[in-house]
Amino acid sequence: MNVNQSAPPVPPFGQPQPVYQGYHQSSYGGQPGSTAPTTPYGAYNGPVPGYQQTSPPGVSRAPPSSEAPPASTAQAPCGQAAYGQFGQGDVQNGPSSTVQMQRFPGSQPFGSVPLTPVVSQPTVLQPYGPPPTSAQVTAQLAGMQISGAVAPALPPVGLGYGSPASLASASGSFPNPGLYGSYPQGQAPPLSQAQGHLGAQPPQRSAPPQASTFTSPASGGPRMPSMTGPFLPGQGFGGPSLSQPNHVSSPPPQALPPGTQMTGPPGPPPPMHSSQQPGYQLQQNGSFGPARGPQPNYGSPYPGAPTFGSQPGPPQPLPPKRLDPDAIPSPIQVIEDDRNNRGSEPFVTGVRGQVPPLVTTNFLVKDQGNASPRYIRCTSYNIPCTSDMAKQAQVPLAAVIKPLARLPPEEVSPYVVDHGESGPLRCNRCKAYMCPFMQFIEGGRRFQCCFCSCINDVPPQYFQHLDHTGKRVDAYDRPELSLGSYEFLATVDYCKNNKFPSPPAFIFMIDVSYNAIRSGLVRLLCEELKSLLDFLPREGGTEESAIRVGFVTYNKVLHFYNVKSSLAQPQMMVVSDVADMFVPLLDGFLVNVSESRAVITSLLDQIPEMFADTRETETVFAPVIQAGMEALKAAECAGKLFLFHTSLPIAEAPGKLKNRDDRKLINTDKEKTLFQPQTGAYQTLAKECVAQGCCVDLFLFPNQYVDVATLSVVPQLTGGSVYKYACFQVENDQERFLSDLRRDVQKVVGFDAVMRVRTSTGIRAVDFFGAFYMSNTTDVELAGLDGDKTVTVEFKHDDRLNEESGALLQCALLYTSCAGQRRLRIHNLALNCCTQLADLYRNCETDTLINYMAKFAYRGVLNSPVKTVRDTLITQCAQILACYRKNCASPSSAGQLILPECMKLLPVYLNCVLKSDVLQPGAEVTTDDRAYVRQLVTSMDVAETNVFFYPRLLPLTKSPIESATEPPAVRASEERLSNGDIYLLENGLNLFLWVGASVQQGVVQSLFNVSSFSQITSGLSVLPVLDNPLSKKVRGLIDSLRAQRSRYMKLIVVKQEDKLEMLFKHFLVEDKSLSGGASYVDFLCHMHKEIRQLLS
Amino acid sequence: MATYLEFIQQNEERDGVRFSWNVWPSSRLEATRMVVPLACLLTPLKERPDLPPVQYEPVLCSRPTCKAILNPLCQVDYRAKLWACNFCFQRNQFPPAYTGISEVNQPAELMPQFSTIEYVIQRGAQSPLIFLYVVDTCLEEDDLQALKESLQMSLSLLPPDALVGLITFGRMVQVHELSCEGISKSYVFRGTKDLTAKQIQDMLGLTKPAMPMQQARPGPPQEHPFVSSRFLQPVHKIDMNLTDLLGELQRDPWPVTQGKRPLRSTGVALSIAVGLLEGTFPNTGARIMLFTGGPPTQGPGMVVGDELKVPIRSWHDIEKDNARFMKKATKHYEMLANRTATNGHCIDIYACALDQTGLLEMKCCANLTGGHMVMGDSFNTSLFKQTFQRIFSKDFNGDFRMAFGATLEVKTSRELKVAGAIGPCVSLNVKGPCVSENELGVGGTNQWKICGLDPTSTLGIYFEVVNQHNAPVPQGGRGAIQFVTQYQHSSTQRRIRVTTIARNWADAQSQLRHIEAAFDQEAAAVLMARLGVFRAESEEGPDVLRWLDRQLIRLCQKFGQYNKEDPTSFRLSDSFSLYPQFMFHLRRSPFLQVFNNSPDESSYYRHHFARQDLTQSLIMIQPILYSYSFHGPPEPVLLDSSSILADRILLMDTFFQIVIYLGETIAQWRKAGYQDMPEYENFKHLLQAPLDDAQEILQARFPMPRYINTEHGGSQARFLLSKVNPSQTHNNLYAWGQETGAPILTDDVSLQVFMDHLKKLAVSSAC
């Protein structure tokens, strides 16, 4: 948008402030007009400050449709308006408003007080917005929402127009800046509700608010000017600046004003809105878009550059004034909206191309022919018909598949279909398995393959008549004809060597070198295994697990144990020929737990004793895996190795490693070597493991560099997991380790699996991400696959798709169950195809997109410098958004940032990816940590990546203790923390309990059992068990959080202002990170700039 | 000549030495014309109950190249307290301890009756004996059971402070750690991989770096300074453990599919055993005892593949150069044997199987280290069980009849040089003034290492007379030889046994009669046989026979009395009379004939031939045949088919077999059950007599012979028929129908024919 101009030189925040005042007014004036029309959603104003949206928002509201077009134009002129936005942000900041903002976070944060009064907006979040500020903010937001403009035509896509208009209007009414935001929503009302609560209110107010906003701008005035200077001559600036201010400030103000104002404009919306807070315009955007479905655009005009730059000239306020964070799309809001809107009804999969609820929403699935989103999620449920379109949009077409996903108890696991000796029915040509999409013809005697169109005969024993609709009359009796997911029993043809598999085996391989003994690991582990062995995974109702177990210990030699049931004592066999590993025994190594219990117990009792005095510090690694693999080979079964390893394997042996950790490589072209394995030996080994169906789970307990990048190669390629416990100490890490171990041992797992993704003609799976091995381009080989492992598959066009027939995916997984049964699990999914880009953008899923992009980027670092990878991501994201802007959004000011409703979180999430440890490591992040995270992310599902990149921050003391539900999350920013509260933060791997410095004594007492804040032990990892509601609730919450994640999260108590707080702040991803990662606001500005460059 | 016989016998009893010639030809030229070389059979540790060892150290000649030991032949100046070395003539001071010496107060070593004397060395740490069992687990269940029992039993026979170790092998090789409690521990090695000693020691954790861990163990305090007590533990400490461990030994668990031999890693197992001892107890007495029930089928040292359809190599294959694993395997075992010998350890091989077990390839392990080689059909036979038990037999002092790590040094007076030795020894490659350039047997040295010795171990030592014809030895001169054997006694003492002998020189031209009379044909036969067998190891069989024949003919030409070209005039003096007959039987013996023997059997027979003393060796060459009948007391009879009569019971002792053969009539009587009738008690006694005698032999002999009780027409009778002189065959028809014996169905020549040819050739002037 206009912003651009301003952007370059401008220092985002700083400038704005000064400018504002001046600008606003002027700008407003201009904008108003324009804005008004835009109506729709507030676009996001200049990222920097806030989103400019402001301007538009105002507009948007009332006149939605009509306004829209104009709005855009208006904005255009305002282009500057955009600036204005920035300015606004600044303004707010700078001036009183801004200041307030800042404070909020700090002290009152949620400004509970103000809120309370507000009442109307009771909804949570709002807290912040102290009256004044909030108002402003909202305003801005409104502006941002932009999209609203088009609003009228919901489907078309929400565009962010309005802002300008709104501004205009707003300008008029300085006082009500906050309003803007509301406008857009206002329009959307119906939809809006769902989306942004915030939105709701704003709209109404919007009109007025905007006005108010202006005021703020005024403050910003000073800056604006400066901004303008650079960018556009006078006019532009003025406009934009104004708008910005609005945004920024809007939220708070809204609150108050809303009531009043709101009422005015949008009758309907109010209710909704009111409940939510006016504050968030962003959301509003969402709301606009009739349903977020469409695309709310954030027209955020801001000077890209400036934003980033941070505080430019205006410098005055160190405290970088910026766009009002509340004005930009909030993940929290989006999540909340989705929960509220879609959490209540089951998701029925019968309709093609439906976008499922977000992963953060709890919902039930009814399988009516398509696979549940728990198994497959796509980046888009509407695929462009042609590759040209796909190229233009740059939206990756990918599916995130979790073939063995665990289901909630309310859902049934896939039915097992047994077709007897003939095996599952398949298409003769493409080998696709029978599925609901297959078309029966000729009275049921033949069927046409839905993937390749080949016509096949129906075997006599499968024949069935068709009803009048052409459906087989038994369609509902057969899972393979009516469900999206089901299993076939495989025949012997599907087995290795044409022999039914024997039950798999688990081999526990324990490092007994000095470090492992000293840390107490070995004793702990042996003790645990004694009981854990009773809980090996079993299938169905069988009493006893079919899985056999074996034990190996090792340092620089390996010790195998004969635990045959007939022995009185276990026998140890040492193999020191690590260069040429072999298995020294056959009989008695792998045993049935119940038969050999006494011997096993005796062994586990003795292992810690035997090595108690060891001085051996060197270890081997590759030979250990080799040994396990050979053992499975000798036993002719698949299985899993559990490796417990402590140190860099430096003993003379194959796979010996050296310490190559070199921080100097970071940010050089050679950085990628840190992620690559040191030697090719492990790949070779992994290949052999895969061939044998030997999955490797690695538990690492390093005290220093162990080269995770190399050690994790085998687990990675065999579908295993890596767990890392740095500086393991029994006292501190016992619970985490044991919990992970239990979970890992007990979880249901498939072995020796091959996964193949078939697609209907027109698209083709071209790339795969995850923990597996591929020896050709189509078959994903997984030595082991559990319910947590996810494979992301990317598709490309190789032909035109047809809107009528859509696109079909069939994922077939052939695996050996833990009882040794060979099975095929089939997941089918039908997608829509579109000839309009807008349809694509309307049916996207940002969480999935981020999952794909993160995996893509994390793989990229193996081959390219990290910077290149980051740039690629940014570029792609910009292209996606620019394409939308160009093709789908209704015309609007170039300075406006318009985001598709479905992708409005893309920038914030992408920023989180960009500043993740792998792509932008801080000084405290070790090479091992990066490799570890890189490896973890590779097989994460959407829910995991979502929370991993954007942690959940839950205020504990906000809501009444009695409330049973999880407290609503707040955005991951320091500004959202109030020093009088306690927060939990989790990202799937870490769990922090942050205690504000001025938390009430009573709370401290009831949680920590100490009398004051200063007595709380920093770094505490366990909360005392106290019998009071708060303690119970918090501990209960922690437990439930842990239960949701596949890995146990160790709790760390962080006190405000404490050393550990640094660690905690690292996860406040909306803030600027110490390692140089941009804050959300900065990044949004930058993104906007990029988009503008693409558009120009 | 009785005097000479007595002399010879007396010398043998006192010194354990028998010379081929007891009067020596005084020049090189004459000596070579004697055909049979000047040589002796030495039994270094011959049991001498009447010879208590002296508890001090020997006095050495001070000349560095000589270092001969003071002996009764030395001239002593009691006043000056000087003695002259009888080998180099160096005059030496007596050491201070000998100050009290005088004509009447002589130290033992100067007394004539102590030509053989044994010193006990007090210096140096005494190390316990070590027994390392290397056990094949690819056995049939009952075989393994029997073996386990034998091994468990042997623990009670070992000296309590002896160290024992256990290695088992099949497809893999397991070295059992004996020190641990609770879990039994073993180190496992792949059976297919040849490892260097260093690797083995690394893998067993015997090298330095591993030490801390081991020492850190609070376990049993280290009783001796040696490193690896983990694998070798004193019997008294772990005999319970080891008994249990042996009890729990299972057959090799790896499946053997139909048509395959079990995979047996003998080569690697032995290599590990050698490496283990090498790294931990070099130069201490140790026995590696290999028990195997089949041929090595994989890894280094494999003798045959695991396909049953491919049979193990036969002599035929070897002649056709068709034994593809033989050379490589032999090389592997030779390398091991040499390493073992260098370390002073010995390897015993106990091979019990119906088929061959690869003794041919492995023989050097026993041959070069002085170990035992025992061959049987099964571990579950008394042959094995008793033989094995006998290893641990004790002498009159209660000491084990075994000695370790011996070094034999031979010193000669200057007219003689040492040409070589044949026996269970390896050369130490010590060049000295008395080493001949011509080699007979293992030569080029005057010192040999004999890692395992027992009181009957006997070496053939060959000399060369180097005195030139033109420098005659003064009349009455005597040549002297000193044998110095340093060894570790089974009581773990270090001891030195010194035997010094002297013989007269005689001028062969003027005094041929003397020399002739002093010929020891028995010793000569054995010594020549050893040479022949030694050659047979490396040469073609027929070549060796031809060489033997030529020697015999030349000897007859030299010492026979005859008229040229008149065979009937040929006579040999008494001292030579039996010699041709020995040679006849030697030619037929399994030592030189491989027909009807597997390569393993040949190796086995040769092994024993090269180490037994004279008496046993002679039995091997020419078996003894006793006859039992109602006609008189038991009597030795001719080893001839004519001795096989219907009314006789024959007892044949070939050393390796004891055959009791009932004549046709006797057999019928027994079948009729006469022995059970009171009135025929004498028949019962007759039947019993040979059994008792056989028992006596069985009791005394090591290894235990195969005991065969057969009768006329029995299939086992072949053992007898193949040995006797075939004087009656299907060829000389005149014998048919006569009652003078049994015809032998063979084309072999009989002794008569042999002698006829010999006479003819001897008197012929052609050669």
Side-chain angles (χ1 to χ4, degrees), chain B residues 11-224:
Chain B
N11 266 288
E12 183 180 13
E13 272 170 17
R14 190 181 61 212
D15 298 329
V17 176
R18 280 187 69 164
F19 275 92
S20 52
W21 305 97
N22 286 295
V23 170
W24 297 343
S26 60
S27 79
R28 175 194 199 102
L29 187 64
E30 288 164 6
T32 52
R33 287 183 181 157
M34 297 291 146
V35 183
V36 173
L38 172 55
C40 72
L41 285 168
L42 171 70
T43 308
L45 297 190
K46 185 171 176 59
E47 280 188 352
R48 287 286 307 278
D50 55 333
L51 180 72
V54 297
Q55 302 290 328
Y56 53 83
E57 296 188 17
V59 177
L60 304 186
C61 168
S62 61
R63 189 188 294 265
T65 55
C66 176
K67 291 198 168 171
I69 292 170
L70 179 62
N71 62 69
L73 302 176
C74 293
Q75 290 197 341
V76 177
D77 181 340
Y78 291 103
R79 262 179 293 164
K81 310 283 190 251
L82 291 176
W83 61 279
C85 172
N86 58 332
F87 294 96
C88 68
F89 306 115
Q90 167 84 11
R91 293 170 69 80
N92 298 290
Q93 292 277 340
F94 279 107
Y98 284 65
T99 43
I101 196 171
S102 71
E103 285 90 339
V104 292
N105 185 17
Q106 291 179 343
E109 64 265 34
L110 287 181
M111 299 178 191
Q113 68 269 37
F114 288 109
S115 59
T116 290
I117 187 167
E118 189 155 295
Y119 301 88
V120 175
I121 307 293
Q122 310 291 356
R123 280 175 292 131
Q126 296 190 351
S127 52
L129 301 185
I130 300 167
F131 297 86
L132 180 54
Y133 296 147
V134 181
V135 181
D136 181 2
T137 53
C138 297
L139 301 175
E140 292 305 318
E141 198 56 67
D142 47 352
D143 248 19
L144 181 61
Q145 191 53 39
L147 177 56
K148 276 152 64 171
E149 283 163 13
S150 289
L151 294 177
Q152 286 168 331
M153 175 276 301
S154 72
L155 295 181
S156 62
L157 300 177
L158 293 175
D161 60 344
L163 303 183
V164 288
L166 176 65
I167 295 178
T168 56
F169 67 93
R171 178 188 284 230
M172 314 269 173
V173 179
Q174 278 177 267
V175 183
H176 296 267
E177 189 174 318
L178 302 176
S179 59
C180 49
E181 291 167 4
I183 288 185
S184 70
K185 245 181 179 178
S186 59
Y187 283 65
V188 188
F189 294 81
R190 206 189 259 279
T192 51
K193 193 168 170 190
D194 201 2
L195 298 166
T196 64
K198 167 109 185 13
Q199 284 173 311
I200 291 170
Q201 285 154 21
D202 282 349
M203 291 180 186
L204 289 176
L206 303 180
T207 35
K208 292 294 173 206
M211 285 305 299
M213 167 179 162
Q214 189 196 338
Q215 286 176 342
R217 254 168 198 294
Q222 309 275 317
E223 291 199 341
H224 47 77

Side-chain angles (χ1 to χ4, degrees), chain B residues 276-298:
Chain B
L276 170 60
L277 289 178
E278 190 170 61
T280 51
F281 293 92
N283 296 314
T284 25
R287 272 205 118 80
I288 295 170
M289 308 174 95
L290 170 68
F291 303 87
T292 181
T297 45
Q298 69 167 1

Side-chain angles (χ1 to χ4, degrees), chain A residues 496 686-695 714-720 750-756 768 770-785 791 812-814 822:
Chain A
K496 203 183 277 179
K687 218 192 280 186
E688 293 176 42
C689 288
V690 171
Q692 183 51 47
C694 166
C695 170
V714 178
Q716 172 78 22
L717 293 181
T718 58
F751 294 97
D752 207 3
V754 181
M755 184 179 106
R756 175 90 182 250
F768 300 83
F772 53 74
Y773 173 77
M774 291 186 77
S775 56
N776 56 34
T777 56
T778 54
D779 295 338
V780 177
E781 297 175 37
L782 298 130
L785 176 67
V791 177
L813 177 80
L814 173 63
R822 198 74 173 152

Side-chain angles (χ1 to χ4, degrees), chain B residues 242-475:
Chain B
L242 187 52
T243 304
D244 293 348
L245 189 58
L246 285 169
E248 285 195 357
L249 266 194
Q250 297 296 316
R251 292 181 61 197
D252 195 54
W254 299 89
V256 179
T257 47
Q258 184 113 37
K260 300 263 190 184
R261 296 186 174 90
L263 289 176
R264 192 179 267 115
S265 327
T266 321
V268 171
L270 213 46
S271 163
I272 289 169
V274 171
L276 170 60
L277 289 178
E278 190 170 61
T280 51
F281 293 92
N283 296 314
T284 25
R287 272 205 118 80
I288 295 170
M289 308 174 95
L290 170 68
F291 303 87
T292 181
T297 45
Q298 69 167 1
M302 76 183 279
V303 164
V304 64
D306 65 343
E307 288 284 351
L308 264 179
K309 64 182 178 201
V310 182
I312 193 167
R313 78 275 174 287
S314 64
W315 278 119
H316 183 74
D317 294 328
I318 294 170
E319 279 157 21
K320 292 272 183 292
D321 201 17
N322 209 7
R324 46 190 284 250
F325 302 110
M326 186 180 78
K327 283 218 175 74
K328 235 179 120 190
T330 307
K331 210 171 143 206
H332 175 76
Y333 293 111
E334 263 170 10
M335 179 270 291
L336 288 182
N338 283 318
R339 269 169 53 195
T340 312
T342 309
N343 294 311
H345 307 138
C346 71
I347 302 178
D348 294 346
I349 302 176
Y350 305 87
C352 290
L354 292 172
D355 195 1
Q356 299 187 74
T357 54
L359 286 181
L360 172 70
E361 285 81 359
M362 293 190 276
K363 66 186 174 204
C364 47
C365 291
N367 287 348
L368 301 186
T369 63
H372 301 303
M373 187 189 281
V374 174
M375 192 170 82
D377 291 344
S378 157
F379 287 109
N380 200 12
T381 56
S382 61
L383 184 147
F384 166 73
K385 290 178 184 168
Q386 299 200 15
T387 302
F388 183 55
Q389 210 163 344
R390 213 154 290 163
I391 300 217
F392 303 102
S393 62
K394 294 185 178 174
D395 65 11
F396 53 91
N397 275 335
D399 291 325
F400 289 96
R401 286 196 169 93
M402 56 176 86
F404 296 93
T407 314
L408 170 65
E409 182 176 5
V410 179
K411 298 177 192 301
T412 59
S413 50
R414 56 185 56 166
E415 300 87 0
L416 281 173
K417 287 198 173 181
V418 182
I422 297 178
C425 61
V426 289
S427 162
L428 279 176
N429 273 323
V430 179
K431 309 283 182 208
C434 58
V435 175
S436 164
E437 288 174 3
N438 298 320
E439 293 186 19
L440 284 174
V442 182
T445 178
N446 69 337
Q447 289 184 26
W448 294 267
K449 186 132 188 181
I450 314 164
C451 299
L453 267 178
D454 61 45
T456 62
S457 299
T458 301
L459 284 84
I461 297 171
Y462 299 81
F463 301 93
E464 185 182 20
V465 177
V466 292
N467 200 34
Q468 292 304 315
H469 194 60
N470 49 14
V473 178
Q475 196 64 13

Side-chain angles (χ1 to χ4, degrees), chain A residues 479-503:
Chain A
E480 78 271 22
L481 296 180
S482 55
L483 296 180
S485 304
Y486 43 88
E487 292 198 327
F488 286 119
L489 273 193
T491 61
V492 79
D493 299 335
Y494 292 83
C495 303
K496 203 183 277 179
N497 303 328
N498 277 334
K499 255 168 65 185
F500 279 115
S502 10

Side-chain angles (χ1 to χ4, degrees), chain B residues 476-539:
Chain B
R478 296 214 291 177
I481 300 178
Q482 189 170 59
F483 302 99
V484 181
T485 311
Q486 305 192 40
Y487 68 99
Q488 180 185 346
H489 190 258
S490 60
S491 65
T492 75
Q493 290 167 332
R494 294 288 321 171
R495 293 190 180 187
I496 301 177
R497 184 183 281 215
V498 181
T499 298
T500 315
I501 58 95
R503 293 291 186 272
N504 290 325
W505 292 109
D507 178 16
Q509 282 169 328
S510 53
Q511 299 170 299
L512 189 59
R513 291 284 128 209
H514 283 289
I515 295 174
E516 199 179 314
F519 181 66
D520 181 344
Q521 53 184 342
E522 292 178 340
V526 173
L527 285 163
M528 285 304 283
R530 282 203 180 195
L531 274 179
V533 170
F534 185 80
R535 282 174 171 243
E537 293 285 352
S538 52
E539 294 175 26

Side-chain angles (χ1 to χ4, degrees), chain A residues 281-363:
Chain A
Q281 302 176 349
L282 308 180
Q283 305 155 353
Q284 299 172 354
N285 302 333
S287 50
F288 292 128
R292 61 178 70 237
Q295 46 305 23
N297 310 328
Y298 300 123
S300 61
Y302 53 11
T307 35
F308 284 67
S310 63
Q311 317 133 352
Q316 354 149 330
L318 265 189
K321 313 304 177 120
R322 10 138 144 173
L323 276 186
D324 173 6
D326 286 343
I328 54 183
S330 156
I332 304 304
Q333 194 60 49
V334 171
I335 291 171
E336 281 296 312
D337 287 352
D338 192 74
R339 255 185 210 159
N340 296 335
N341 293 326
R342 307 200 58 180
S344 50
E345 301 235 324
F347 177 71
V348 179
T349 69
V351 181
R352 184 172 86 182
Q354 278 186 111
V355 180
L358 295 183
V359 284
T360 42
T361 301
N362 281 323
F363 59 100

